[in-house]
Amino acid sequence: MARNVEFNEEEAIRKAMEVFWKKGYNGTSLRDLTDAMKINSSSLYNTIGNKHELFVKCIKNYTETRMAELKKAAGDTQSPLQAIIYLINHAVSSIVDGNSCMAIKTAFEMAADDKNIQAILKADNNFTHEFLRSLITKARELGELDADEDPETLTDYLSSIYTGWYESYIIHQDPIRIRKMAQYLINQLSR
């Protein structure tokens, strides 16, 4: 008689996401996943699917969680500029604490060849872009940012800076360097 598969799928996906986050898609074996999830491979295939289907669920979970965190962080302050500064500092903390950004890592590893992953990351990027642009627009309207600042260009600039910081930290492993760049950016925005 076949055993019933009993496990918390949400918890299993979170554990798998941690492995993918650390090792990347290509560096993660099925054994790494089943060990972390504390299930056997047949349970994985019967409930979630193959490695790629699991990864898709993990990256969706990651991006959805990040979107919710961004909304909450912005909602916790009345100042759009302070929300932007919070997001900058949060990015720095993520980088120097070694968690990096799973979306950025995945973009470089898989998005060029995997249209499904590309679509998930594009939706995440579009959300983040619109979210930042709206904060910048509100900050301009309230006089927290110079009225001459173009929200679209500044949003693109901030997005590219985050990616550059991740790359810099991977190469140099220098948290002071990242913090200095972030403080310089904050100083420029706050003038």
Side-chain angles (χ1 to χ4, degrees):
M1 184 163 110
R3 284 183 11 185
N4 287 338
V5 178
E6 291 186 31
F7 71 98
N8 180 328
E9 186 173 329
E10 187 177 309
E11 178 67 16
I13 288 171
R14 187 190 61 73
K15 288 178 180 179
M17 183 177 71
E18 291 171 4
V19 176
F20 282 129
W21 198 341
K22 181 179 179 182
K23 294 185 167 197
Y25 179 80
N26 293 318
T28 299
S29 69
L30 190 58
R31 173 92 187 227
D32 293 331
L33 294 167
T34 56
D35 286 352
M37 297 165 70
K38 297 184 179 8
I39 62 173
N40 61 42
S41 58
S42 63
S43 294
L44 173 66
Y45 288 119
N46 291 333
T47 57
I48 296 174
N50 62 28
K51 176 182 169 183
H52 186 267
E53 291 168 317
L54 175 59
F55 186 77
V56 167
K57 288 182 185 229
C58 290
I59 197 68
K60 278 184 180 177
N61 179 276
Y62 174 82
T63 58
E64 289 168 1
T65 299
R66 203 168 64 82
M67 287 178 200
E69 288 172 356
L70 287 176
K71 288 178 187 176
K72 183 183 179 326
D76 287 346
T77 179
Q78 295 296 316
S79 164
L81 180 59
Q82 288 306 309
I84 295 166
I85 291 170
Y86 170 83
L87 295 175
I88 292 168
N89 287 323
H90 181 72
V92 169
S93 294
S94 293
I95 294 166
V96 300
D97 291 344
N99 291 334
S100 68
C101 176
M102 188 175 179
I104 291 174
K105 287 175 77 172
T106 300
F108 286 114
E109 183 181 13
M110 298 180 68
D113 299 321
D114 188 319
K115 298 302 179 194
N116 195 9
I117 296 297
Q118 186 181 73
I120 294 166
L121 295 179
K122 185 175 183 180
D124 177 59
N125 184 271
N126 289 343
F127 167 82
T128 303
H129 186 276
E130 180 56 32
F131 184 79
L132 273 173
R133 193 186 61 71
S134 70
L135 287 174
I136 291 166
T137 299
K138 289 176 190 168
R140 279 182 60 210
E141 290 168 0
L142 295 174
E144 294 181 331
L145 288 176
D146 190 331
D148 292 335
E149 290 287 355
D150 174 42
E152 193 70 28
T153 302
L154 186 52
T155 300
D156 288 337
Y157 178 72
L158 290 174
S159 295
S160 67
I161 281 182
Y162 295 155
T163 305
W165 290 348
Y166 284 108
E167 178 188 13
S168 177
Y169 190 75
I170 289 167
I171 293 168
H172 301 285
Q173 299 290 307
D174 185 350
I176 294 169
R177 182 182 201 161
I178 304 301
R179 288 188 177 102
K180 283 182 175 180
M181 286 189 283
Q183 191 56 56
Y184 179 80
L185 176 60
I186 291 168
N187 292 345
Q188 295 304 305
L189 291 172
S190 301
R191 293 195 281 163

